């Protein structure tokens, strides 16, 4: 058996969220609640100076729209939200059924009416993390391949960053998988009995992928 290693990565900033589970969502909401007095519709100019940066939501998908709604219901002022989409993005279920982003067009109109800043056709490039606070204070984007937005590069001051453009394994999970030397390839490799290559470790659910080599 050839092991597929999971490389150790530096931890992501505390205010960067990749929402894969309800636990991820709860942690993000708890983080934002401490800033609500500074990013709500009732914020003062003094509050703005104390709490710089936008709440960035990246990725055109159902989860991204749900995130926007949750932020509004939480009390975040729309002008403190920046919605970034990547070129070629479309709703997964619409693509599956052969539609051409019909609901996406309607959502774009609603988002514009709310006053949320929208930046189309940009891919994530990198973030800048403050070494003292461990927080991301700026996110950098570049033009998606095959698209030519103006400007082609931009940076957005960041209070919180929600990414739905990529899937990322949590730092704790990645560390555990690598430490256990469990084969991984876009998921923990298992056989028909949910067994991994390690006799004492089993896996099931969205984190696992069937591999006939383990039979």
């Amino acid at each position: 058996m050839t092991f597929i290693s999971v490389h150790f990565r530096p931890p992501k900033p505390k205010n960067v969220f990749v929402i894969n589970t309800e636990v991820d969502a709860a942690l993000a909401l708890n983080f934002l609640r401490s800033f609500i007095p500074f990013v709500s519709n009732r914020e003062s100019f003094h509050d703005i100076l104390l709490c710089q940066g936008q709440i960035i939501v990246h990725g055109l998908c159902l989860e991204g729209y749900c995130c926007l709604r949750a932020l509004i219901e939480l009390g975040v002022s729309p002008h403190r939200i920046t919605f970034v989409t990547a070129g070629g993005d479309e709703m997964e279920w619409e693509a599956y059924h052969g539609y051409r982003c019909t609901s996406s067009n309607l959502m774009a109109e609603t988002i514009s009416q709310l006053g949320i800043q929208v930046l189309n056709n940009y891919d994530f490039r990198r973030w800048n993390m403050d070494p003292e606070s461990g927080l991301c204070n700026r996110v950098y984007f570049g033009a998606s391949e095959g698209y030519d937005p103006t400007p082609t590069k931009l940076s957005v001051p960041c209070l919180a960053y929600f990414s739905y453009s990529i899937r990322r394994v949590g730092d704790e999970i990645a560390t555990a998988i690598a430490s256990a030397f469990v084969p991984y390839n876009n998921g923990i490799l298992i056989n028909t009995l949910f067994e991994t290559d390690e006799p004492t470790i089993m896996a099931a659910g969205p984190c696992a992928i069937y591999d006939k080599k383990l039979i």
Side-chain angles (χ1 to χ4, degrees):
M1 165 62 63
T2 300
F3 286 93
I4 302 172
S5 62
V6 178
H7 299 287
F8 289 95
R9 299 168 299 189
K12 62 180 176 60
K14 301 174 184 177
N15 58 338
V16 172
F17 305 102
V18 180
I19 311 299
N20 292 323
T21 67
E22 292 183 2
V23 174
D24 296 333
L27 292 174
L29 289 177
N30 287 337
F31 174 86
L32 286 177
R33 283 192 178 100
S34 62
F35 291 97
I36 286 303
F38 307 111
V39 296
S40 69
N41 291 313
R42 299 179 297 276
E43 65 182 345
S44 66
F45 181 71
H46 177 66
D47 292 333
I48 295 175
L49 293 179
L50 288 175
C51 191
Q52 295 286 348
Q54 292 290 101
I55 298 177
I56 305 168
V57 180
H58 187 210
L60 179 63
C61 57
L62 183 59
E63 292 84 357
Y65 289 137
C66 290
C67 181
L68 294 178
R69 177 174 179 176
L71 292 174
I72 296 297
E73 292 186 351
L74 192 62
V76 176
S77 176
H79 80 270
R80 297 304 299 268
I81 303 173
T82 297
F83 185 45
V84 185
T85 71
D89 274 354
E90 59 182 345
M91 298 282 282
E92 294 92 338
W93 70 269
E94 290 187 345
Y96 179 78
H97 291 288
Y99 295 103
R100 297 299 300 172
C101 297
T102 52
S103 65
S104 299
N105 295 332
L106 294 174
M107 289 299 298
E109 294 179 11
T110 302
I111 291 171
S112 178
Q113 292 171 2
L114 286 172
I116 295 173
Q117 180 186 31
V118 179
L119 303 172
N120 292 317
N121 304 323
Y122 288 98
D123 291 334
F124 169 81
R125 291 292 181 261
R126 64 184 179 89
W127 57 58
N128 184 67
M129 184 171 70
D130 182 271
E132 294 185 4
S133 66
L135 298 176
C136 168
N137 53 29
R138 187 166 290 272
V139 180
Y140 296 84
F141 298 94
S144 300
E145 185 176 355
Y147 293 82
D148 190 26
T150 302
T152 57
K153 297 180 181 179
L154 56 83
S155 66
V156 182
C158 177
L159 173 63
Y161 176 48
F162 291 82
S163 176
Y164 295 96
S165 59
I166 58 173
R167 292 291 184 182
R168 172 190 169 106
V169 177
D171 296 319
E172 297 83 2
I173 296 176
T175 300
I177 293 173
S179 300
F181 298 99
V182 174
Y184 184 97
N185 186 12
N186 294 322
I188 300 173
L189 303 184
I190 61 172
N191 61 18
T192 54
L193 299 177
F194 306 102
E195 299 170 332
T196 67
D197 194 60
E198 169 57 48
T200 60
I201 298 178
M202 302 179 72
C207 70
I209 291 181
Y210 170 70
D211 185 0
K212 63 181 180 181
K213 294 180 181 179
L214 293 181
I215 295 178

